[in-house]
Amino acid sequence: MKTKAFSLIIICCVFQTFMFGQTEGMVFIKGSRYLPLYGRDSTVVEVKDFNMDIYPVTNKDYELFVEKYPKWQKSNVIKLFADDSYLANWKNNLELKDDQNSNSPVTYVSWFAAKAYCECQGKRLPTVDEWEYAAMADETTKDARVKPSYNEQILAWYEAPRSNENIIGESPKNAWGVYDLHGLVWEWTLDFNSVLITGESRKDVDKDSDLFCGSASLNATDLMNYAAFMRYAIRGSLKAKYSMKNLGFRCVQDINQ
Amino acid sequence: MKHLKIYFSVFIMVMALASCNSNKTEKISDELTGFQCPMKCEGEKTYAEAGSCPICNMDLQPIEMQEDIVIDEDGISEESIFNLTSTWNTEEGEEIQLEDLKGKTLVMVMIYTTCKAACPRLVADMRNIEAQIPKDNLDNLRFVLVSIDPNTDTPERLKAFAIENFMDGEQWTFLQGTEASVREFANVLAMKYKQISPIDFSHSNIISVFNSGGELIHQQEGLGVDNKETVESILELTQ
């Protein structure tokens, strides 16, 4: 009896540490297989279970980060890791410009900075496949890509100006419980450089004909998903040290087995 | 000297901690031995034995000494690839950091050994470039081939590839990293790649030239393109 109670307590403790600490501010995304717009050999990809940040990283979050890691402050960041527009909307190393909102997603951050931010929290950037997997959900369905309303909504956002200045959590969460995958900013992914659909890849790539612009979209698996095509296209045009006004990020975490 | 090394490794450890990098930071002592004029009258030219510089007559200094002096926070420029602190395995089975390649002009390319289409041509391009460099300049030059496929390309495999392709000389170095370090390095080169099947990658074909401080000087894109500019930039750097 005693040992039973003891083991129960142990289990509770283990369970609790697992529930908290690990997943604060994150939601569990159940992995699966799906057919992305661009996958390996245009076949289904497998996404393992992972936790994803509920919100994109905000200016406020980033302020705490640069306070703790001065190396990533505006004037200290080295040129290899970020271009000149890094944190262009900040007035100094530690503060945002007055007209910026601390609850807006952080932008003007490079891939290196985003990656370091996540690593410093014991997390990482999501892969393209993971991001697209979580982002194909709408408010009620986990794969809403077939619904006309899903695409219309995203495309409406692509047309809306200055959405990066809005604050997080204002639009409804998706079926996973994640906010703002669409609607505010584009987001960095770990392997954004794995997509070869830029102009330069026409001459670079051994498989050029199927990976260049127009022909690329013809080769894509789902012609209806024009919004996703735009995302892949923009990823293809990025370089890791770019810092852009409408590009932020969020982190994910592997599930410890 | 020993003490210096210890201080140096402690410094590296601290730096790595500060940058919150979880990579292992074991610093393997430099293989570089040789002597060099402290004024660098002849650029990066090195001598095998102690003596004096033929131009300014100053005593030549061991290169290791200089490395220790130069390396401080400002020893590496902001744009230098030596800011990357990841650890790599060479085809000889040694563990190195990119910084260990400091002091030589670097010609770098990313390939994978199971590649059938573009890589053999890229490798041919590299050999073609090497053939146009005079023997004297080769001492100051390293050709570095970084594997995109760290899971398959073990040091043994890279060594075999090197021998097979007549690239086993001193001036050739092959590197195996981890998926993360390769991704980061590719991003520094603005190089794109994607695994399209278990043994195949789609990738951009870029040959990059770095100066002895690790700064990117020139990039050549495409296969079998005119490499005149690349060769010129290498010659300029290794003079």
Side-chain angles (χ1 to χ4, degrees):
Chain A
M1 188 61 208
K2 231 182 193 174
T3 45
K4 250 190 188 166
F6 184 66
S7 51
L8 200 70
I9 290 172
I10 295 275
I11 287 170
C12 283
C13 289
V14 170
F15 190 65
Q16 210 170 14
T17 44
F18 181 73
M19 288 300 286
F20 300 98
Q22 288 279 328
T23 57
E24 200 187 336
M26 303 184 99
V27 285
F28 177 76
I29 311 274
K30 175 87 186 133
S32 174
R33 294 161 157 271
Y34 77 107
L35 188 64
L37 187 61
Y38 292 99
R40 177 199 271 191
D41 283 343
S42 298
T43 50
V44 284
V45 298
E46 190 184 351
V47 171
K48 294 212 169 74
D49 296 354
F50 61 100
N51 291 322
M52 183 175 237
D53 282 354
I54 297 174
Y55 300 110
V57 174
T58 62
N59 285 323
K60 191 164 50 181
D61 298 332
Y62 207 78
E63 271 179 354
L64 296 174
F65 169 70
V66 294
E67 209 173 291
K68 205 164 161 196
Y69 302 100
K71 147 175 180 182
W72 292 105
Q73 286 168 9
K74 188 175 170 165
S75 68
N76 296 344
V77 74
I78 62 171
K79 287 192 188 122
L80 186 71
F81 295 147
D83 65 12
D84 290 341
S85 47
Y86 179 70
L87 298 183
N89 56 340
W90 289 44
K91 68 178 168 202
N92 57 38
N93 274 347
L94 297 171
E95 284 173 292
L96 275 173
K97 279 188 182 151
D98 295 331
D99 60 346
Q100 303 289 315
N101 193 313
S102 63
N103 275 328
S104 295
V106 65
T107 54
Y108 294 109
V109 284
S110 66
W111 177 84
F112 293 103
K115 177 170 165 282
Y117 178 96
C118 292
E119 280 170 5
C120 286
Q121 311 216 333
K123 301 176 186 174
R124 61 175 173 83
L125 287 170
T127 62
V128 172
D129 288 342
E130 286 167 343
W131 196 96
E132 289 290 331
Y133 177 70
M136 65 193 188
D138 69 358
E139 289 159 50
T140 49
T141 327
K142 283 175 180 167
D143 186 357
R145 290 178 298 177
V146 287
K147 293 190 196 171
S149 61
Y150 165 81
N151 276 309
E152 276 163 24
Q153 233 170 4
I154 298 173
L155 289 174
W157 160 50
Y158 289 173
E159 287 164 10
R162 297 165 74 92
S163 57
N164 61 304
E165 291 174 14
N166 296 341
I167 63 174
I168 59 161
E170 298 231 298
S171 46
K173 62 183 176 188
N174 74 9
W176 295 107
V178 181
Y179 286 89
D180 300 321
L181 283 164
H182 308 288
L184 294 181
V185 291
W186 309 91
E187 295 185 9
W188 279 112
T189 43
L190 188 63
D191 52 347
F192 77 93
N193 64 341
S194 68
V195 183
L196 295 147
I197 52 175
T198 58
E200 82 192 44
S201 47
R202 182 180 222 170
K203 65 176 182 205
D204 277 351
V205 180
D206 47 354
K207 303 188 72 181
D208 50 13
S209 61
D210 55 355
L211 282 168
F212 180 67
C213 284
S215 59
S217 75
L218 288 175
N219 205 43
T221 56
D222 177 5
L223 290 179
M224 292 310 293
N225 203 342
Y226 185 67
F229 177 69
M230 282 178 73
R231 283 195 298 278
Y232 280 94
I234 201 162
R235 281 179 200 127
S237 71
L238 292 172
K239 288 187 181 177
K241 65 176 189 174
Y242 284 4
S243 316
M244 282 171 30
K245 180 181 162 185
N246 51 1
L247 184 63
F249 68 100
R250 75 179 70 216
C251 312
V252 298
Q253 199 171 40
D254 293 314
I255 305 286
N256 294 327
Q257 294 296 331
Chain B
M1 196 58 217
K2 266 241 158 91
H3 283 284
L4 260 180
K5 244 178 218 163
I6 291 167
Y7 289 145
F8 179 62
S9 17
V10 167
F11 174 72
I12 290 280
M13 299 274 271
V14 171
M15 285 291 285
L17 280 179
S19 65
C20 132
N21 201 320
S22 57
N23 286 321
K24 268 186 268 166
T25 54
E26 260 176 68
K27 171 81 184 153
I28 306 300
S29 64
D30 300 273
E31 283 293 292
L32 288 169
T33 44
F35 296 86
Q36 197 173 41
C37 171
M39 303 303 291
K40 300 209 173 156
C41 292
E42 295 167 283
E44 297 294 335
K45 186 169 179 185
T46 56
Y47 294 85
E49 287 177 67
S52 53
C53 169
I55 293 169
C56 67
N57 266 333
M58 282 175 80
D59 287 345
L60 298 176
Q61 286 183 358
I63 288 171
E64 274 193 356
M65 275 281 285
Q66 284 202 335
E67 295 263 299
D68 282 343
I69 295 164
V70 173
I71 292 168
D72 56 28
E73 266 185 320
D74 301 314
I76 303 171
S77 93
E78 282 196 6
E79 290 180 19
S80 168
I81 49 165
F82 302 142
N83 287 301
L84 301 175
T85 52
S86 44
T87 310
W88 302 76
N89 297 318
T90 70
E91 85 283 8
E92 307 291 347
E94 294 166 46
E95 246 180 58
I96 65 164
Q97 294 191 329
L98 292 179
E99 207 187 319
D100 296 331
L101 301 171
K102 193 174 173 179
K104 306 232 181 207
T105 300
L106 303 174
V107 183
M108 299 184 119
V109 71
M110 297 186 82
I111 53 137
Y112 62 104
T113 61
T114 48
C115 173
K116 295 282 175 282
C119 305
R121 291 169 66 193
L122 261 184
V123 165
D125 280 348
M126 288 287 273
R127 274 209 305 267
N128 193 331
I129 290 171
E130 187 214 9
Q132 297 180 52
I133 309 292
K135 274 247 148 36
D136 288 350
N137 298 41
L138 283 180
D139 290 344
N140 301 328
L141 189 60
R142 276 285 183 95
F143 293 91
V144 183
L145 294 92
V146 179
S147 169
I148 322 175
D149 187 6
N151 297 329
T152 311
D153 291 336
T154 57
E156 297 75 40
R157 210 185 163 111
L158 290 171
K159 178 77 180 174
F161 184 84
I163 293 171
E164 206 176 292
N165 287 281
F166 309 104
M167 301 164 109
D168 199 28
E170 276 280 295
Q171 68 272 31
W172 298 96
T173 302
F174 291 74
L175 295 181
Q176 175 204 28
T178 60
E179 262 179 58
S181 62
V182 168
R183 174 79 49 199
E184 183 177 61
F185 185 70
N187 274 334
V188 165
L189 299 187
M191 134 115 190
K192 303 202 180 276
Y193 68 97
K194 184 175 182 75
Q195 189 164 23
I196 49 174
S197 80
I199 54 151
D200 245 333
F201 290 78
S202 200
H203 60 103
S204 31
N205 300 309
I206 302 180
I207 294 177
S208 310
V209 181
F210 295 86
N211 67 15
S212 57
E215 292 153 336
L216 183 62
I217 302 298
H218 180 79
Q219 283 196 316
Q220 165 185 321
E221 283 182 31
L223 285 173
V225 297
D226 182 11
N227 54 24
K228 197 169 131 227
E229 277 181 46
T230 311
V231 171
E232 269 171 16
S233 73
I234 295 170
L235 286 177
E236 209 167 286
L237 290 168
T238 50
Q239 255 165 21

